[in-house]
């Protein structure tokens, strides 16, 4: 019966109708229906349905669809900029559960209180690809007046890429309208033409470029609607989404989006910036400095407000407002259910819009920039480039502007002095990355040796100087491979010792072979067996491998630079010296090679690139990751284009710089909060600033800005909720979540694999250790007493190194009442101890931050211990 009144998206038959309930569940179901009768739906003022959706649907499913639901404060601010008393039509082209539409309804109602529910619904349009959010957005709008009979919102369940303003679509549409063309009105169906709109609002899907399913459809839209034939292939979906949505907008009307902030600084953002500058007045770009828009998504966002404008003179004269907000939005606009909420929102948006000069107070900072100047800044060397609006106008407190202004004739892009190359992408890490287990061969029994190599040890003809025994994760077995085809690989910053590559500390090796299979056959090379085994598993058919000839040849892509630069920077940053080791690095690092012309200044360049000055510039211009990762995601072109001082200008300070060089090389680098306290680092930055004509006070400002930048990023990250529940996570839940993000923590059983061990049982009791754990005992006796009351036990260890390893596991990690295997070999014990200590100190603060993010009271040391011992 109800289908006669157009509620198809709510009441049409679905798979849920096929479910049969157990008899004993029916009383429960009936009781739940009774409970619903106590709810007063007509009093709902907010998007309760969106909150339900956000709770019900799994994070991963939302992530895959790019669906994240905006908080009502930002929704209202967008609507406040875009909707006024003249607004006739509003659309959200990715409406989800309808948050923007519900609040748009309230704004329209505010401007026209005399309008009926039916009239207001006729002004509001939504498009959504996923059926369930369509159902929820329909419910959301219907619930605004449940007494209405003609109560059917216009929500189009279709892929927005396939929706165009000059097309007609069949949809269920009950209401007569003065604003839309309604044809063939028969019963409950009509053909309604999609109109042009006075306001386009929303938050577009957040889907990375490599996951866009039908990129051609989006590219065709952009070319047809805007005559743009080329968009950077790295552009995420929101770029295409915004351009397609903007085609529905009337001249002089506005689009407001809560949108990813990445376009402000990354390479592909230049196309979106050019599009905005050439077709719109950019009214405002607003960023909250401390809080995230989406609690369950690791996306940093800005509010973007633009107005369609075909007049170039008017666009050039427009004043763009870059707004940094420090206080919670509710401080300005009140609570959602405040009776004067909308007036407060409009007052806040008008203040921003009417600002003509820069404003700075405790609540916000507004930088005003003429649009023509923005365009000029983006046009460099005869071509349009990314203007880095985020770094310059939303993140820098002013020190960047001061540095570049004071030293503009002394600062040059790093690419002037160095070549920066991204490390290689193998396309098959499980084949290319192998572990050198040659040292284990001598530990094999004669029986195992014959099993592995096919002949007795006594008859072995293998030249171990020229060949090695390597383990492959692809086949889960060992291979005999010529050493000349296997090179050491630098993968992680943890593998560096202080500021140098230590080959003995590298965990991985990479296959580096360019010989054809015919040549390998001719010279009977061992590696051929491994290559053929890989091909039997179709490794050579993987896309990246197919692009090479032969498919296993990495040499053309592999480089060994003078320095190794990390592609992601957290609290800790260091440039690693690779001039002696000359090892390869893969895509998680960049190789920096000093150009021949500047070879004599290599040490100076090394110092410049390890300064807080350089680190801050890199942070400022990189994409910021918050959430599961709290990092600067550094693109290779950011490194190339980062400004540094001409190293030739450092010559007069050679003596001081030599001392700084030795000091930096002699110590481990700490996080940013430790490094700004280090005397050698401060001396370095002071010299660099002196060359630029800046003072020690300016160094103080730089250090304050650099530390605050990292601190603010961490606070923003901590505001992300990684689970749906509001309750605190249990220890096991926290361990599981952190385990997913710290899969690279080495397991203890892997560290002792292949070594001779002894088993001990650790008592729960308190341990008493010898006073001196640094010097050898005269009689070689190393024991620990365990005491509880009058009882005592003693464990004697084979060596001082074994005892020190045990003490770390027992005391630092609180490993008690466990069976523990300890290596007998002294060197092995010491190596494992140093590795554990380094990993422990590097990871414990990150784990602490994650525990805080997850709202858990779990002990970070216990988490690390359980990851290690799992």
């Amino acid at each position: 019966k109800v289908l006669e009144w157009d509620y198809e998206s709510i009441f049409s038959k679905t798979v849920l109708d096929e479910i049969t309930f157990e008899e004993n569940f029916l009383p429960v179901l009936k009781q739940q229906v009774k409970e619903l009768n106590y709810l007063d739906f007509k009093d709902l003022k907010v998007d309760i349905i969106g909150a339900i959706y956000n709770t019900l649907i799994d994070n991963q499913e939302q992530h895959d669809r790019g669906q994240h639901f905006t908080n009502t404060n930002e929704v209202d601010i967008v609507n406040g900029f875009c909707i006024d008393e003249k607004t006739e039509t509003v659309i959200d082209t990715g409406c989800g559960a309808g948050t923007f539409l519900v609040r748009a309804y309230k704004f329209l109602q505010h401007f026209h209180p005399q309008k009926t529910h039916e009239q207001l619904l006729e002004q509001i349009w939504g498009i959504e690809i996923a059926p369930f959010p369509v159902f929820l957005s329909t419910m959301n709008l219907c619930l605004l007046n449940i007494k209405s009979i003609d109560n059917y919102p216009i929500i189009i369940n279709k892929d927005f890429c396939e929706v165009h303003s000059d097309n007609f679509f069949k949809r269920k549409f009950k209401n007569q309208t003065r604003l839309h063309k309604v044809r063939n009105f028969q019963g409950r169906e009509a053909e309604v033409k999609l109109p042009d709109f006075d306001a386009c609002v929303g938050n577009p899907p957040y889907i990375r470029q490599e996951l866009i399913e039908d990129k051609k459809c989006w590219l065709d839209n952009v070319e047809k609607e805007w005559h743009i034939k080329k968009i950077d292939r790295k552009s995420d979906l929101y770029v295409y989404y915004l351009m397609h949505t903007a085609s529905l907008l009337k001249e002089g009307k506005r689009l407001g989006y809560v949108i990813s902030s990445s376009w402000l600084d990354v390479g592909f953002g230049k196309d979106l910036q050019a599009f905005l500058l050439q077709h719109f007045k950019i009214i405002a770009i607003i960023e909250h400095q401390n809080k995230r828009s989406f609690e369950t998504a690791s996306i940093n966002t800005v509010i973007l407000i633009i107005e369609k404008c075909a007049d170039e003179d008017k666009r050039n004269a427009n004043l763009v407002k870059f707004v940094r907000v420090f206080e919670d939005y509710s401080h300005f606009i009140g609570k959602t259910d405040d009776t004067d909420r909308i007036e407060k929102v409009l007052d806040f948006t008008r203040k921003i819009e009417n600002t003509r000069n820069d404003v700075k107070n405790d609540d916000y900072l507004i930088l005003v920039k003429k649009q023509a100047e923005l365009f000029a800044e983006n046009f460099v060397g005869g071509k349009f480039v990314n203007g880095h609006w985020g770094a310059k106008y939303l993140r820098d407190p002013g020190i960047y502007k001061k540095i570049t202004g004071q030293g503009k004739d002394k600062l040059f892009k790093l690419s002037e002095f160095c070549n920066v190359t991204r490390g290689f992408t193998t396309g098959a890490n499980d084949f290319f990355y192998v572990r050198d287990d040659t040292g284990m061969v001598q530990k094999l029994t004669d029986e195992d040796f014959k099993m592995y190599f096919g002949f007795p040890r006594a008859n072995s003809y293998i030249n171990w100087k020229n060949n090695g025994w390597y383990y492959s994760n692809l086949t889960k077995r060992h291979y005999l491979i010529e050493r000349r085809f296997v090179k050491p690989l630098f993968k992680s910053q943890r593998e560096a010792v202080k500021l140098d590559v230590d080959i003995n500390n590298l965990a991985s090796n990479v296959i580096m072979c360019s010989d054809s299979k015919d040549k390998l056959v001719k010279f009977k090379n061992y590696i051929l067996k491994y290559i053929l085994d890989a091909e039997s598993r179709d490794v050579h058919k993987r896309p990246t491998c197919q692009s090479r000839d032969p498919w296993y040849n990495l040499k053309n892509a592999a480089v060994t630079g003078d320095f190794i630069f990390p592609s992601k920077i957290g609290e800790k940053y260091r440039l690693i010296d690779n001039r002696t080791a000359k090892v390869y690095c893969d895509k998680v690092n960049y190789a920096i090679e000093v150009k021949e012309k500047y070879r004599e200044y290599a040490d100076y360049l090394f110092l410049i690139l390890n300064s807080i000055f350089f680190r801050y510039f890199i942070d400022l211009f990189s994409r910021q990751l918050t959430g599961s990762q709290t990092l600067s995601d550094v693109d290779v072109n950011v490194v190339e284009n980062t400004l540094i001082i001409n190293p030739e200008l450092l010559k007069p300070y050679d003596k001081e710089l030599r001392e700084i060089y030795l000091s930096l090389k002699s110590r481990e680098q700490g996080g940013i909060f430790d490094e700004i306290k280090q005397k050698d680092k401060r001396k370095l930055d002071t010299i660099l600033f002196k060359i630029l004509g800046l003072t020690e006070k300016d160094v103080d400002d730089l250090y304050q800005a650099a530390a605050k930048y990292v601190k603010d990023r961490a606070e923003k990250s901590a505001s992300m909720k990684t689970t749906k529940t509001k309750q605190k996570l249990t220890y096991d839940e926290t361990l599981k979540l952190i385990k997913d993000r710290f899969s690279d923590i080495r397991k203890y059983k892997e560290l002792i694999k292949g070594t001779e061990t002894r088993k001990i049982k650790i008592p729960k009791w308190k341990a008493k250790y010898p006073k001196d754990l640094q010097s050898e005992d005269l009689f070689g006796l190393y024991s620990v007493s365990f005491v509880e009351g009058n009882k005592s036990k003693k464990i004697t260890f084979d060596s001082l190194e074994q005892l020190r390893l045990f003490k770390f596991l027992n005391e630092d990690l609180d490993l008690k009442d466990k069976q523990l295997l300890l290596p007998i070999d002294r060197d092995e014990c010491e190596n494992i101890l140093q590795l554990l200590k380094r990993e422990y100190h590097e990871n414990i603060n990150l784990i602490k931050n994650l525990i805080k993010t997850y709202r858990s009271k779990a002990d970070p040391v216990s988490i690390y211990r359980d990851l290690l011992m799992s």
Side-chain angles (χ1 to χ4, degrees):
K1 181 65 178 177
V2 78
L3 292 180
E4 295 178 9
W5 296 100
D6 293 339
Y7 295 97
E8 292 79 6
S9 62
I10 299 176
F11 293 107
S12 292
K13 191 173 183 178
T14 69
V15 68
L16 297 177
D17 294 286
E18 306 299 324
I19 296 174
T20 302
F21 294 108
E22 295 287 337
E23 285 290 329
N24 58 4
F25 177 68
L26 293 180
V28 179
L29 182 61
K30 288 180 178 180
Q31 182 59 37
Q32 289 174 346
V33 173
K34 285 182 180 178
E35 293 293 331
L36 290 175
N37 288 324
Y38 294 109
L39 301 178
D40 196 351
F41 289 105
K42 70 178 185 294
D43 286 343
L44 292 177
K45 295 184 175 66
V46 295
D47 172 19
I48 189 69
I49 302 296
I52 292 171
Y53 183 92
N54 212 25
T55 305
L56 289 178
I57 302 303
D58 180 75
N59 274 13
Q60 188 59 48
E61 184 177 348
Q62 283 188 326
H63 182 271
D64 292 344
R65 292 178 178 175
Q67 296 172 335
H68 299 286
F69 293 87
T70 321
N71 69 64
T72 310
N73 288 337
E74 290 179 313
V75 171
D76 280 359
I77 290 169
V78 167
N79 283 331
F81 274 107
C82 297
I83 298 174
D84 58 28
E85 63 276 1
K86 297 179 181 178
T87 301
E88 295 182 339
T89 49
V90 180
I91 189 169
D92 181 351
T93 56
C95 65
T99 309
F100 274 92
L101 301 183
V102 170
R103 297 307 296 170
Y105 179 102
K106 293 294 182 182
F107 273 78
L108 292 171
Q109 193 176 49
H110 170 82
F111 289 117
H112 303 286
Q114 76 284 1
K115 284 194 175 184
T116 65
H117 174 67
E118 293 82 359
Q119 289 172 322
L120 292 171
L121 285 187
E122 287 176 358
Q123 296 181 249
I124 297 171
W125 292 62
I127 300 173
E128 172 60 45
I129 188 173
F132 188 44
V134 169
F135 163 81
L136 295 176
S137 58
T138 304
M139 287 283 291
N140 240 336
L141 290 165
C142 289
L143 287 171
L144 294 171
N145 189 341
I146 57 176
K147 295 180 179 180
S148 172
I149 294 176
D150 292 336
N151 190 1
Y152 196 84
I154 314 168
I155 309 296
I156 302 169
N157 186 189
K158 198 175 181 74
D159 185 345
F160 178 51
C161 183
E162 300 172 4
V163 177
H164 304 89
S165 58
D166 58 350
N167 282 354
F168 289 78
F169 297 96
K170 261 195 172 184
R171 61 187 59 82
K172 314 298 185 227
F173 187 67
K174 177 67 180 177
N175 302 329
Q176 295 280 3
T177 174
R178 297 180 301 278
L179 301 175
H180 317 128
K181 292 181 181 178
V182 180
R183 303 192 320 171
N184 302 329
F185 189 80
Q186 297 171 350
R188 59 186 174 82
E189 288 196 4
E191 288 185 342
V192 183
K193 185 173 182 178
L194 198 70
D196 288 335
F197 289 88
D198 298 301
C200 298
V201 297
N203 66 280
Y206 297 91
I207 297 176
R208 300 195 312 275
Q209 57 89 13
E210 60 267 27
L211 299 178
I212 300 174
E213 291 183 357
D214 189 359
K215 193 174 287 188
K216 185 179 184 304
C217 173
W218 292 103
L219 287 168
D220 288 346
N221 285 338
V222 171
E223 183 174 0
K224 177 183 176 183
E225 294 159 354
W226 299 103
H227 309 293
I228 298 173
K229 294 187 176 181
K230 188 177 179 181
I231 295 288
D232 191 302
R233 60 184 179 83
K234 293 183 180 179
S235 298
D236 290 343
L237 181 60
Y238 67 78
V239 174
Y240 303 98
Y241 221 89
L242 184 149
M243 291 181 175
H244 187 32
T245 300
S247 72
L248 307 178
L249 195 62
K250 292 178 184 176
E251 177 71 12
K253 300 301 180 180
R254 290 186 174 178
L255 180 149
Y257 263 1
V258 178
I259 189 172
S260 168
S261 61
S262 60
W263 64 279
L264 292 166
D265 294 293
V266 299
F268 72 74
K270 71 180 187 302
D271 289 337
L272 183 53
Q273 290 177 11
F275 172 74
L276 298 178
L277 290 168
Q278 292 167 2
H279 297 282
F280 300 87
K281 293 179 183 177
I282 303 172
I283 305 301
I285 300 174
I286 307 169
E287 182 181 57
H288 201 292
Q289 298 288 290
N290 303 319
K291 291 202 173 182
R292 320 174 51 75
S293 300
F294 307 120
E295 292 183 336
T296 57
S298 55
I299 302 165
N300 290 322
T301 59
V302 291
I303 294 173
L304 170 66
I305 308 297
I306 57 177
E307 183 179 298
K308 199 167 187 177
C309 179
D311 189 317
E312 183 178 358
D313 291 336
K314 289 182 178 178
R315 292 198 308 268
N316 287 337
N318 177 57
L319 298 179
V320 183
K321 317 298 168 27
F322 291 94
V323 186
R324 308 180 200 176
V325 178
F326 308 117
E327 277 286 352
D328 191 275
Y329 283 126
S330 60
H331 173 76
F332 310 104
I333 62 178
K335 297 178 181 178
T336 308
D337 56 357
D338 287 351
T339 55
D340 59 349
R341 162 76 166 207
I342 291 178
E343 280 299 336
K344 287 180 178 177
V345 171
L346 295 173
D347 181 61
F348 179 65
T349 59
R350 285 166 187 155
K351 275 184 181 177
I352 294 172
E353 199 162 344
N354 294 333
T355 298
R356 292 290 174 267
N357 300 300
D358 294 351
V359 175
K360 185 175 182 180
N361 55 47
D362 293 338
D363 297 334
Y364 52 76
L365 168 64
I366 303 177
L367 296 179
V368 181
K369 191 77 176 175
K370 203 169 184 178
Q371 192 158 318
E373 294 174 3
L374 273 186
F375 190 93
E377 288 178 7
N378 281 56
F379 206 72
V380 178
K383 64 179 183 178
F384 200 90
V385 299
N386 190 300
H388 294 288
W389 298 350
K392 295 176 182 176
Y393 306 120
L394 290 174
R395 296 201 293 272
D396 175 54
I399 189 65
Y400 169 80
K401 188 176 181 180
K402 186 171 186 178
I403 292 171
T404 53
Q406 182 73 26
K408 57 185 176 182
D409 56 340
K410 299 173 182 176
L411 295 171
F412 300 87
K413 293 179 180 179
L414 177 61
S415 58
E416 179 79 18
F417 311 103
C418 301
N419 297 315
V420 184
T421 308
R422 189 189 305 274
F424 54 73
T425 299
T426 70
N429 286 0
D430 49 358
F431 167 80
F432 284 99
Y433 297 166
V434 292
R435 187 179 72 227
D436 188 352
D437 281 345
T438 311
M440 292 174 54
V441 174
Q442 60 183 339
K443 299 179 182 180
L444 294 175
T445 64
D446 289 344
E447 183 180 356
D448 286 344
F449 186 97
K450 185 175 181 180
M451 178 184 71
Y452 280 116
F453 297 102
F455 45 78
R457 191 192 298 271
N459 299 340
S460 175
Y461 54 84
I462 301 171
N463 183 337
W464 291 110
K465 185 178 180 181
N466 297 331
N467 301 287
W469 199 43
Y470 298 97
Y471 180 79
S472 165
N473 274 317
L474 174 68
T475 61
K476 308 300 181 188
R477 54 161 292 188
H478 288 85
Y479 289 86
L480 196 61
I481 300 176
E482 290 81 3
R483 289 192 180 278
R484 65 189 179 90
F485 294 134
V486 183
K487 303 298 180 185
L489 174 71
F490 185 90
K491 276 186 65 67
S492 167
Q493 288 269 315
R494 289 195 291 259
E495 295 177 326
V497 175
K498 296 172 183 172
L499 289 176
D500 287 289
V501 175
D502 183 352
I503 292 182
N504 297 320
N505 203 40
L506 302 183
S508 300
N509 300 275
V510 60
I511 298 293
M512 202 67 66
C513 174
S514 58
D515 291 355
S516 67
K517 281 191 285 185
D518 290 340
K519 187 175 180 179
L520 297 175
V521 170
K522 179 180 178 180
F523 290 100
K524 298 180 180 179
N525 293 121
Y526 295 126
I527 195 174
L528 181 62
K529 165 66 175 165
Y530 185 38
I531 292 171
L532 294 177
D533 278 3
E535 289 180 352
S536 70
R537 289 166 169 78
D538 290 334
V539 174
H540 60 302
K541 294 181 181 179
R542 298 182 189 178
T544 305
C545 294
Q546 282 183 318
S547 66
R548 295 188 290 257
D549 184 27
W551 67 267
Y552 49 82
N553 179 19
L554 284 179
K555 286 200 170 182
N556 293 334
V559 292
T560 57
D562 297 302
F563 312 125
I564 297 176
F565 182 91
S567 64
K568 290 182 172 60
I569 299 173
E571 279 191 24
K572 190 173 182 178
Y573 160 75
R574 55 184 178 174
L575 182 87
I576 305 302
D577 195 341
N578 191 33
R579 285 175 289 179
T580 301
K582 286 293 180 184
V583 298
Y584 295 104
C585 61
D586 66 3
K587 63 180 181 180
V588 299
N589 293 285
Y590 305 142
I592 298 179
E593 181 184 29
V594 180
K595 292 182 178 180
E596 192 63 38
K597 181 181 176 181
Y598 297 99
R599 280 278 165 197
E600 63 177 296
Y601 304 110
D603 283 353
Y604 293 168
L605 285 165
F606 178 74
L607 288 173
I608 293 170
L609 302 188
N610 269 301
S611 66
I612 301 291
F613 166 29
F614 182 75
R615 183 239 160 93
Y616 178 63
F617 274 27
I618 286 287
D619 259 344
L620 197 60
F621 286 91
S622 298
R623 186 165 69 101
Q624 300 304 298
L625 302 179
T626 52
S628 59
Q629 298 184 86
T630 308
L631 305 161
S632 283
D633 185 16
V634 190
D635 196 75
V636 69
N637 62 49
V638 169
V639 186
E640 291 174 326
N641 294 323
T642 296
L643 297 175
I644 68 166
I645 293 175
N646 183 344
E648 295 173 312
L649 300 176
L650 273 62
K651 266 188 170 181
Y653 302 91
D654 185 74
K655 183 179 179 181
E656 298 101 306
L657 292 171
R658 290 293 159 198
E659 293 176 359
I660 295 169
Y661 179 87
L662 293 173
S663 177
L664 286 177
K665 281 269 197 162
S666 68
R667 68 175 179 85
E668 188 55 80
Q669 303 297 295
I672 182 69
F673 307 108
D674 293 326
E675 286 301 301
I676 60 176
K677 300 174 185 175
Q678 297 295 330
K679 291 181 179 179
D680 51 10
K681 195 64 70 76
R682 186 175 186 89
K683 284 180 182 177
L684 171 60
D685 284 302
T686 300
I687 290 173
L688 297 179
F689 269 38
K690 189 175 182 180
I691 292 170
L692 294 176
L694 297 166
T695 66
E696 283 212 38
K697 169 64 169 58
D698 296 317
V699 176
D700 291 336
D701 291 343
L702 169 70
Y703 280 19
Q704 182 180 356
K708 186 177 186 302
Y709 196 85
V710 176
K711 180 173 179 285
D712 288 349
R713 184 172 64 207
E715 287 181 1
K716 205 164 190 176
S717 182
S719 70
M720 176 183 175
K721 294 181 182 178
T722 53
T723 60
K724 301 292 186 183
T725 177
K726 290 185 179 179
Q727 300 167 351
K728 295 188 183 302
L729 268 62
T730 65
Y731 181 89
D732 289 338
E733 289 168 336
T734 309
L735 177 62
K736 182 177 183 300
L737 284 165
I738 293 178
K739 188 174 183 180
D740 293 339
R741 289 158 174 78
F742 279 78
S743 57
D744 58 340
I745 286 183
R746 304 185 203 192
K747 306 293 184 289
Y748 184 79
K749 63 184 178 183
E750 294 170 359
L751 295 176
I752 63 172
K753 188 176 180 180
T755 65
E756 187 179 359
T757 60
R758 60 172 285 202
K759 183 186 292 186
I760 64 167
K761 176 73 166 68
I762 309 175
K764 288 183 178 179
W765 304 347
K766 184 178 179 181
K768 289 189 174 181
Y769 296 88
K771 290 183 179 179
D772 186 5
L773 289 180
Q774 302 298 322
S775 305
E776 295 284 344
D777 184 270
L778 181 64
F779 302 101
L781 298 175
Y782 307 100
S783 60
V784 175
S785 298
F786 294 87
V787 181
E788 186 176 55
N790 296 324
K791 300 178 183 178
S792 67
K793 294 180 182 179
K794 182 178 286 188
I795 296 179
T796 302
F797 294 87
D798 301 325
S799 65
L800 176 62
E801 290 79 7
Q802 194 180 71
L803 172 57
R804 290 173 59 196
L805 174 59
F806 172 82
K807 185 174 187 293
F808 177 83
L809 295 170
N810 183 239
E811 294 294 310
D812 293 64
L813 299 187
D814 196 26
L815 200 64
K816 301 236 185 322
D817 196 29
K818 301 274 187 184
Q819 292 280 357
L820 178 65
L821 293 174
L822 285 175
I824 293 175
D825 185 84
R826 297 175 60 166
D827 290 341
E828 198 67 39
C829 287
E830 189 64 20
N831 290 341
I832 292 173
L833 174 61
Q834 296 309 318
L835 178 67
L836 291 180
K837 282 185 174 180
R838 185 165 63 251
E839 280 202 347
Y840 174 82
H841 289 299
E842 287 181 357
N843 286 316
I844 206 72
N845 285 331
L846 293 173
I847 293 174
K848 279 182 183 176
N849 288 337
L850 284 173
I851 286 173
K852 182 180 178 182
T853 301
Y854 295 144
R855 297 164 56 86
S856 170
K857 290 186 177 180
D859 171 30
V861 176
S862 300
I863 293 282
Y864 180 82
R865 177 194 65 223
D866 289 346
L867 289 172
L868 174 73
M869 305 305 293
S870 62

